[in-house]
Amino acid sequence: MSKPKAAVFASGTGSNFQAIMEKSDLACEVALLVCDQPGAGVIEKAKSYGVPTLVFQAKEYRDKREYEEMLVTKLKEAEAAWIFLAGYMRIVGETLLHAFDKRIVNIHPSYLPGFPGKDAIGQAYRAGVNKTGVTVHYIDEGIDTGPIIAQVEVAVEPEDTEDLLKKRIQQVEHRLYPQVINQLIEQTKSEG
Ligand code: GRF
C-alpha cells in the first residue's frame, strides 16, 4: 500500500523538516513544503530532498481566508492528507482548520501549557524554571492550545546558556516529531 501524503509547513531554517526527511521508515510521503518566507533556509533543504515547494507571501493576499483557500487547493492537488507544522510562524485560520480537521499537528519547544507563543525557549530560560520541554499537539484556533499528543521534559541545567538549552531542546524535537508522526499515521490506519 502506498504511504499517505503529508505537507510540512515551515518558515525558518527547517531543522525539524530535515529530521522528518531523515527518518528512514517515515510512514508518510512528504509531498509538499509550504513556506511563507521567501529566502528561508527550509526551501533549499526541501529542494535538496526533491520535495516540491510552495512559497507564498501573505501580504499578496487580501486576508488569511484568501491565502488559506489557495493553500487548500494546492494541498488537495498534492493529495496531502496531513499537515505537519514545523516552525510555521502564522496562526492557522478556520479555512485550513475546517479542511484538515484533526489532521494539523504542530511541534512547540516547551512543555505546554507552559510558555506558549513566540520564543518559548527564551521565555523559559528567562523565567528561571528548572525544566521545560517539547510538545507535539493538534492545532486548534488558539495559540499552542490544541489537544496534546506527546510531551517530553527537558531539564534546564544550572550552567545552561539559552543557546545550550536550545540545542538540547532541538535534539529532543528532532527525535520526537518523526516518531509521533509515524505513530499518528499508524494509529489512523488501524482505525480504518
Ligand atoms: C522549532 O523549535 C519548533 O518547535 C518551533 O519552531 C522551531 C522551528 O525550527 N515551532 P526549525 O526551523 O525546524 O529549525
Side-chain angles (χ1 to χ4, degrees):
M1 224 171 74
S2 64
K3 294 178 180 179
K5 293 183 180 162
V8 175
F9 281 35
S11 310
T13 59
S15 69
N16 280 280
F17 170 81
Q18 185 166 0
I20 293 167
M21 296 309 300
E22 289 293 327
K23 185 156 174 70
S24 55
D25 63 343
L26 191 69
C28 59
E29 177 192 333
V30 179
L32 190 64
L33 170 82
V34 174
C35 180
D36 65 324
Q37 296 294 325
V42 68
I43 298 168
E44 284 310 310
K45 286 198 171 83
K47 288 186 179 155
S48 75
Y49 287 102
V51 172
T53 57
L54 167 59
V55 182
F56 76 99
Q57 283 188 282
K59 65 178 186 207
E60 290 173 0
Y61 296 82
R62 228 179 4 238
D63 52 20
K64 190 185 290 279
R65 185 209 288 216
E66 193 180 77
Y67 73 70
E68 288 200 342
E69 279 170 357
M70 175 278 293
L71 291 176
V72 169
T73 303
K74 300 287 184 189
L75 289 160
K76 296 223 155 115
E77 278 169 20
E79 299 179 345
W82 291 88
I83 298 175
F84 298 116
L85 308 184
Y88 178 64
M89 300 303 286
R90 293 191 168 272
I91 297 169
V92 174
E94 58 182 31
T95 307
L96 269 172
L97 280 169
H98 285 157
F100 286 83
D101 187 33
K102 301 211 177 56
R103 288 286 188 276
I104 311 181
V105 176
N106 182 43
I107 185 157
H108 182 77
S110 78
Y111 203 91
L112 290 170
F115 310 114
K118 283 189 184 157
D119 190 23
I121 300 171
Q123 287 186 53
Y125 186 75
R126 288 189 294 277
V129 291
N130 57 16
K131 59 188 180 197
T132 177
V134 173
T135 304
V136 179
H137 64 98
Y138 289 107
I139 284 290
D140 66 7
E141 54 290 326
I143 298 178
D144 303 321
T145 51
I148 290 169
I149 302 165
Q151 288 185 293
V152 172
E153 277 183 358
V154 175
V156 184
E157 305 294 350
E159 65 277 13
D160 263 344
T161 59
E162 191 177 325
D163 211 45
L164 276 175
L165 177 62
K166 181 176 173 190
K167 287 203 174 89
R168 288 208 317 287
I169 287 182
Q170 283 181 332
Q171 283 169 1
V172 173
E173 288 191 319
H174 299 163
R175 186 167 39 81
L176 183 68
Y177 207 12
Q179 276 174 9
V180 173
I181 288 173
N182 273 13
Q183 279 163 17
L184 282 171
I185 291 170
E186 295 305 334
Q187 200 177 306
T188 313
K189 271 192 210 156
S190 63
E191 286 165 6

